[in-house]
Amino acid sequence: MKWITHLSGIAACVMFLGASTSTPVFRLAHPTGLNFILQNSPTPQKYLIETMPGGIALLDYNNDGLPDIFLVNGGQISSPMRTPENFSRRNPKYWNRLYRQNKDGSFTDVTQAAGLASIGDGNYGMGVAVGDYDNDGYPDMFVTNYGKNVLYHNNGNGTFRDVTAKAGVAGGGWSASAGFFDYDNDGKLDLFVTRYLDWDIELSKACGAKKDTYCQPGEFGGVTNLLYHNRGDGTFEDVSVKSGIAAMKGHALGVAFADYDGDGFTDIFVANDVVEQFLFHNNGNGTFSEHALDTGVALSSDGKMLSGMGVVFQDYDNDGLPDVIVTQLPRGLYPVFHNEGKGVFLDKTLTSGFGMLSGSVSGWGIGLEDFDNDGWKDVFITQSHVIDNVEKLDSGLRYLQPPLLALNHEGRFEKADVGNDTPVAGRGAAFADINNDGKVDVVTTVLGGPPEVFMNRERSTNHWITICLEGTRSNRDGLGARIKVNGQVRFTTTSGSYLSSSDKRQHFGLGRATQANIEIVWPSGIHQRLDHVEVDRILRVQEPKQ
Amino acid sequence: MTTIFLTLLLFAQAAPSRVDTDTHATAEAIQQHQPDSAIAQFKQAIAQTPNDPAPYIGLGETYMRTSNFAEAIAPLKHALELNPDLPPVHRQLGYALLAQGYAAEAIPHLDRSKDRAALGIAEIETNHFAEAVTNLQAALSEKPNDPDLIYYLGRASQMLANDSNERLLAQFPQSARAHQLKAENCSRFHEMQEAETEFRAALAARANLPGIHLELGELYAQNSKLVQAEQEFREERRIRPGSAEAAYRLGQVLLQQGKARDAVNELNESNDLMPNMPETLQVLGKAAFLSGDKTLAEKSWTQLLSLESEGPLATQTHFDLASLYRSEGKKQEAEMHMQQFQKVRGAKR
């Protein structure tokens, strides 16, 4: 005997739950000079690539202390697509764009001057990763594409140089999120690149009863991800096979890094779309073993595949261990995998409040940041269904959706007023304190539209500290360092979210605390301690030589 | 559709109802697929022995075999005038009449022949849906795997429901049940707000009508309005404290909100009221696990597997038990259940 669902067959309508706070945390800003439009070029043929861009990076490319914005564009898609398709990337409309932040908060488009106008023919833009791979003190950028990827070296004079060929990181196929990290703790940033599907114009097809919608990823074959080892001479070695990364084929879209088992080596979580998620455990000898199933992060709490898009790998409940939250499509909740220690994760989606926050929404970019500086990391997620005519398929779903902000109340998330409920086709999201006022802001990308800049206007008098690491023995960015401030832990990274890269500075909300006690475990293994540090400031910390 | 089904029925008859007086020649003609010759011979026999029903029957059957139902009616009727006590002939005449659209006229003949399948179909055609359901159910009990019968039973039941619903809406439009019915229909068409309004109207008409809060709660739950769903399930619990389902639904929605301990209480009560419901045990195990009561979680899930060793719930439960044992450091048990999970799921990366 079974319980009968009285209203069987009813698809859930999209219901946006009421916000639990009355004062919006953010204000949707329209900074002068930020005039980018994400050109994804939707076609009647429903080419899958056109619904997947685009990435965003918040980085301080000129080291003036003001975060700048880099936006990845899609490209022009012919209808139907040509073989080969060049995506018209030479047309300025389809350029990626770098916007330098000015002291007054406005932005200046410096794309051409910075040498970033050329992305190469045959590339349709996807994502971006940021890291100082040559330890020269200037952040470099890696742009992923459907096509060949591009590595831009930051020359330190406001310009970039395409060094892809020399570096040997062009890859190919359909790349999505990427990230810099130092997997062997040799002080040089390595590069991980996710790849989504075995897809091209020949394999493309439209789906649905009337062939009028995007196909499920299961319609296409899986592909392997790429791992490049930094040789330290400006070149990278493709170690995908010998590291064990290429042993797994998936539909990867998101990637995030953290040392989940505290062995001192950075592990990799890969968000896969409708295949099992991957958790690559770093064996510490240049190889990785995939352990998602036996650590409990491969599937949802009811044993089902996730349509994983974006991912964040940080500690949400202040127990010092990095947890995983994955964004995905509706009918499934955004799963929260709580790190229990000893290499085990438990699904705490429901007890963390995500049963109330997800289910009929679709998530992409995600960040765990303490937006109200109360000492608990909150969550921000860009949302929109992947299918632009999903209402025709399921009247209970919506293509355009507002982003989600949920504040963390001692490990339980509750929806809050994001400050802009206009539904959009949200995709990428990056996080940084853009105006250095001690509050983390968010910039998101929107298909077919301008980026959305969510300026944090939270009014509390909570204290904060933002830590900017400078590695000496470790990589210059300090990526992979474990920073503990007054009991809270952040794993230093620019990666995570979806196709995007966030500020390398790590922000901590401190609540009422007027001093910060800081412990840093650098990738080199060096432990550093700073006690009774003055708060409400950006603190630059250099790695001790020993 | 009816004609196709009757043709199938005719050819499915094990033995023809041909009377003993068939001449050898006509039988041969029929067997040799020469209906014209058979018809001529039957007509000749009728002319020779006009008071004998046999050649009328033969002629009618020959027409039936060639799907000439219109021509079959007259000789079959005449045969029954000569001898009304011939059930197989009643059946043939019933088929012929039904195939020609004379369902009402077919019914007495099909009734006399006790052909409940065809009778049920005729009753659908004449809007006697309740009788049709009864007869088709009886026919289906003898031929449980007949897709045609299953189809007609479904159709008759649906028509009966429609008929009943229309009557309710026409005669008692402001009744609680009419509003409930409209609410359910709105739900089916994803009209959430209209459904909610109608459910509320039903409750306004009859405050304590059992089941309405349950349905309204489900509507809210399916639309991610979990707080409202909880309120409705609580109300249903108040009205029907003995309802295991209300307790189950309440427990489920509490769990979805992350209120694991409260969920355990409700699910335990549901399990007491109606023990061994696999779905209750599944969710109870989950709520217990999330609230830290691993003993109860293990007990519930193990009990579920003893009741249901296969199927989606069992698969999910193996996955859950693997998580539980993994969290307790019981690697062997975790591995065993994960293997079971993988085996049933058949998943490949």
Side-chain angles (χ1 to χ4, degrees):
Chain A
M1 191 162 68
K2 304 271 185 199
W3 295 120
I4 296 165
T5 300
H6 297 276
L7 307 172
S8 57
I10 300 168
C13 298
V14 176
M15 287 294 140
F16 300 117
L17 299 171
S20 61
T21 59
S22 54
T23 310
V25 174
F26 297 103
R27 173 180 58 86
L28 188 62
H30 303 281
T32 304
L34 191 62
N35 54 1
F36 177 85
I37 300 290
L38 174 50
Q39 303 290 348
N40 61 314
S41 307
T43 64
Q45 288 78 21
K46 302 288 178 189
Y47 299 117
L48 202 47
I49 52 170
E50 66 198 39
T51 191
M52 304 306 285
I56 176 172
L58 294 179
L59 73 163
D60 183 7
Y61 82 98
N62 55 357
N63 284 347
D64 65 354
L66 298 171
D68 311 298
I69 301 176
F70 180 78
L71 290 149
V72 180
N73 217 335
Q76 185 176 41
I77 301 175
S78 310
S79 175
M81 264 174 84
R82 297 175 295 218
T83 309
E85 180 67 84
N86 68 21
F87 300 111
S88 303
R89 298 304 297 275
R90 291 174 192 274
N91 180 339
K93 183 180 174 185
Y94 302 105
W95 288 356
N96 302 326
R97 295 279 174 175
L98 176 64
Y99 294 92
R100 186 190 65 222
Q101 188 183 173
N102 305 312
K103 286 180 182 170
D104 61 358
S106 65
F107 288 84
T108 301
D109 184 342
V110 294
T111 308
Q112 207 157 12
L116 295 169
S118 168
I119 191 70
D121 289 331
N123 289 335
Y124 183 88
M126 285 289 148
V128 56
V130 175
D132 180 7
Y133 75 89
D134 60 347
N135 293 328
D136 65 355
Y138 289 90
D140 309 299
M141 293 195 296
F142 180 76
V143 178
T144 64
N145 295 297
Y146 167 72
K148 300 289 185 189
N149 302 319
V150 182
L151 177 64
Y152 292 105
H153 175 257
N154 188 332
N155 300 321
N157 59 0
T159 68
F160 290 81
R161 189 171 75 253
D162 180 345
V163 294
T164 315
K166 181 193 172 193
V169 291
W174 184 346
S175 301
S177 295
F180 286 100
F181 73 129
D182 183 5
Y183 75 84
D184 54 354
N185 293 338
D186 65 353
K188 299 183 287 285
L189 288 179
D190 310 303
L191 178 61
F192 188 93
V193 185
T194 65
R195 292 197 294 185
Y196 186 35
L197 294 174
D198 183 15
W199 184 94
D200 64 24
I201 180 61
E202 274 78 29
L203 294 170
S204 178
K205 54 185 173 181
C207 289
K210 294 177 184 169
K211 301 287 178 197
D212 61 352
T213 193
Y214 298 106
C215 288
Q216 298 282 336
E219 296 285 333
F220 306 100
V223 286
T224 58
N225 298 305
L226 300 169
L227 177 61
Y228 296 104
H229 178 250
N230 188 340
R231 293 191 182 102
D233 59 357
T235 71
F236 289 77
E237 178 190 2
D238 184 342
V239 294
S240 311
V241 173
K242 79 176 183 187
S243 65
I245 293 296
M248 305 301 296
K249 276 188 178 178
H251 294 156
L253 286 173
V255 65
F257 308 106
D259 176 11
Y260 76 91
D261 59 348
D263 64 359
F265 289 93
T266 304
D267 310 300
I268 308 165
F269 188 95
V270 175
N272 275 314
D273 191 4
V274 200
V275 291
E276 289 170 12
Q277 310 303 290
F278 295 157
L279 178 58
F280 289 107
H281 175 254
N282 189 334
N283 300 322
N285 59 1
T287 69
F288 290 81
S289 307
E290 205 287 308
H291 283 287
L293 259 184
D294 50 85
T295 54
V297 295
L299 301 163
S300 69
S301 66
D302 48 2
K304 296 198 172 106
M305 301 285 193
L306 304 172
S307 45
M309 302 281 160
V311 58
V312 65
F313 205 167
Q314 291 283 4
D315 174 22
Y316 78 87
D317 64 340
N318 290 343
D319 66 355
L321 301 172
D323 312 299
V324 176
I325 306 177
V326 180
T327 54
Q328 66 156 341
L329 296 188
R331 307 292 179 238
L333 305 174
Y334 301 150
V336 176
F337 297 110
H338 180 258
N339 190 336
E340 301 277 302
K342 297 179 182 172
V344 172
F345 290 81
L346 278 186
D347 190 312
K348 293 208 171 167
T349 307
L350 299 179
T351 48
S352 62
F354 272 83
M356 301 280 283
L357 301 172
S358 49
S360 57
V361 284
S362 313
W364 299 80
I366 179 171
L368 262 177
E369 301 289 340
D370 188 355
F371 297 114
D372 55 1
N373 287 335
D374 66 348
W376 294 87
K377 297 180 195 79
D378 313 300
V379 72
F380 183 103
I381 297 174
T382 56
Q383 301 186 126
S384 152
H385 203 279
V386 69
I387 296 172
D388 61 358
N389 53 358
V390 69
E391 290 88 346
K392 282 170 63 181
L393 309 174
D394 186 336
S395 62
L397 299 178
R398 295 288 176 273
Y399 172 56
L400 303 179
Q401 298 164 21
L404 169 72
L405 169 68
L407 298 179
N408 186 340
H409 301 287
E410 300 184 7
R412 187 175 168 84
F413 293 89
E414 287 180 20
K415 187 169 181 179
D417 190 342
V418 75
N420 176 37
D421 270 348
T422 306
V424 294
R427 290 293 184 270
F431 303 84
D433 179 359
I434 291 174
N435 54 357
N436 293 328
D437 65 350
K439 300 183 184 79
V440 178
D441 311 297
V442 189
V443 186
T444 68
T445 61
V446 173
L447 287 185
E452 293 196 321
V453 181
F454 291 88
M455 294 304 293
N456 192 329
R457 61 170 187 180
E458 206 272 329
R459 300 264 181 241
S460 77
T461 53
N462 288 332
H463 298 289
W464 57 276
I465 191 162
T466 296
I467 296 174
C468 184
L469 298 182
E470 185 184 329
T472 53
R473 289 177 60 186
S474 303
N475 67 82
R476 176 86 177 234
D477 287 336
L479 301 188
R482 182 180 187 271
I483 309 176
K484 188 174 183 181
V485 178
N486 293 2
Q488 295 173 57
V489 170
R490 285 195 74 90
F491 191 86
T492 309
T493 182
T494 58
S495 304
S497 191
Y498 172 75
L499 301 179
S500 300
S501 179
S502 295
D503 191 357
K504 69 173 183 175
R505 301 177 302 179
Q506 301 299 302
H507 179 91
F508 292 83
L510 301 175
R512 309 314 303 163
T514 53
Q515 287 189 326
N517 295 316
I518 303 168
E519 295 172 57
I520 302 167
V521 181
W522 293 84
S524 62
I526 290 175
H527 287 240
Q528 185 174 10
R529 188 177 177 95
L530 300 115
D531 287 328
H532 312 301
V533 175
E534 190 184 331
V535 299
D536 297 335
R537 64 178 177 136
I538 298 166
L539 178 70
R540 188 170 292 275
V541 180
Q542 192 175 61
E543 182 182 18
K545 302 288 185 214
Q546 293 185 18
Chain B
M1 186 69 192
T2 308
T3 308
I4 294 166
F5 179 59
L6 286 172
T7 308
L8 290 170
L9 270 182
L10 278 169
F11 285 99
Q13 300 305 317
S17 60
R18 197 169 302 122
V19 290
D20 298 337
T21 50
D22 242 355
T23 63
H24 180 68
T26 52
E28 254 188 10
I30 291 168
Q31 280 175 6
Q32 289 167 8
H33 304 291
Q34 295 169 332
D36 291 344
S37 169
I39 287 166
Q41 289 175 50
F42 280 125
K43 282 184 173 173
Q44 197 178 5
I46 287 168
Q48 287 168 359
T49 56
N51 294 323
D52 181 359
Y56 290 102
I57 295 167
L59 182 59
E61 280 198 341
T62 307
Y63 284 130
M64 292 290 281
R65 284 177 175 275
T66 56
S67 299
N68 192 349
F69 303 115
E71 292 291 335
I73 291 170
L76 291 171
K77 267 189 177 172
H78 204 87
L80 288 172
E81 283 166 14
L82 294 169
N83 181 2
D85 195 23
L86 291 170
V89 180
H90 279 290
R91 183 171 61 191
Q92 296 280 19
L93 179 56
Y95 287 172
L97 288 166
L98 185 53
Q100 286 303 103
Y102 301 111
E105 289 77 6
I107 284 174
H109 297 287
L110 294 169
D111 195 22
R112 285 197 67 170
S113 70
K114 300 196 186 323
D115 188 329
R116 305 192 77 170
L119 181 57
I121 294 165
E123 285 164 342
I124 292 175
E125 301 291 321
T126 55
N127 296 341
H128 293 97
F129 305 120
E131 295 86 346
V133 168
T134 306
N135 282 312
L136 288 163
Q137 275 178 330
L140 200 57
S141 67
E142 288 172 18
K143 286 177 152 184
N145 297 318
D146 186 326
D148 291 309
L149 285 180
I150 295 169
Y151 165 78
Y152 277 109
L153 176 59
R155 188 168 156 185
S157 307
Q158 197 174 17
M159 301 295 274
L160 179 61
N162 290 346
D163 199 36
S164 181
N165 291 342
E166 281 170 18
R167 200 178 141 208
L168 173 67
L169 294 174
Q171 292 183 9
F172 309 99
Q174 298 309 320
S175 67
R177 293 300 188 190
H179 287 298
Q180 181 181 12
L181 180 64
K182 284 192 269 186
E184 289 166 356
N185 283 338
C186 290
S187 295
R188 261 174 225 118
F189 289 101
H190 312 296
E191 292 162 354
M192 158 79 182
Q193 280 185 332
E194 290 83 350
E196 187 181 357
T197 304
E198 291 297 338
F199 277 130
R200 291 281 171 217
L203 288 168
R206 239 163 101 188
N208 286 341
L209 186 61
I212 303 288
H213 289 289
L214 199 63
E215 288 188 66
L216 185 53
E218 279 186 62
L219 183 73
Y220 285 136
Q222 287 167 1
N223 288 285
S224 302
K225 289 186 160 185
L226 304 182
V227 176
Q228 292 96 321
E230 179 189 337
Q231 284 169 357
E232 296 306 320
F233 293 140
R234 282 199 188 283
E235 199 56 24
E236 188 74 23
R237 289 276 287 132
R238 187 186 64 75
I239 295 168
R240 289 196 297 161
S243 166
E245 183 177 3
Y248 165 75
R249 299 278 178 214
L250 178 56
Q252 197 178 36
V253 82
L254 286 168
L255 178 61
Q256 218 176 331
Q257 293 175 76
K259 301 172 184 173
R261 281 183 201 282
D262 295 341
V264 166
N265 293 337
E266 293 298 330
L267 293 161
N268 260 329
E269 189 151 343
S270 178
N271 195 38
D272 289 343
L273 289 165
M274 190 182 286
N276 296 331
M277 283 288 282
E279 285 164 314
T280 306
L281 291 169
Q282 221 296 321
V283 186
L284 174 58
K286 195 152 274 189
F289 187 34
L290 286 176
S291 66
D293 189 346
K294 293 183 180 178
T295 309
L296 178 59
E298 184 180 21
K299 185 183 158 197
S300 304
W301 285 333
T302 310
Q303 172 75 358
L304 189 161
L305 287 178
S306 72
L307 296 166
E308 198 166 300
S309 59
E310 289 178 351
L313 272 183
T315 308
Q316 191 182 329
T317 302
H318 283 299
F319 183 78
D320 290 330
L321 278 167
S323 299
L324 185 148
Y325 290 130
R326 194 185 304 123
S327 74
E328 292 184 321
K330 296 176 179 174
K331 286 188 178 174
Q332 210 172 349
E333 288 91 336
E335 181 68 15
M336 188 193 83
H337 281 285
M338 192 49 90
Q339 279 175 4
Q340 287 289 322
F341 168 74
Q342 291 284 58
K343 188 177 152 190
V344 181
R345 181 167 156 258
K348 285 179 184 167
R349 290 182 173 193

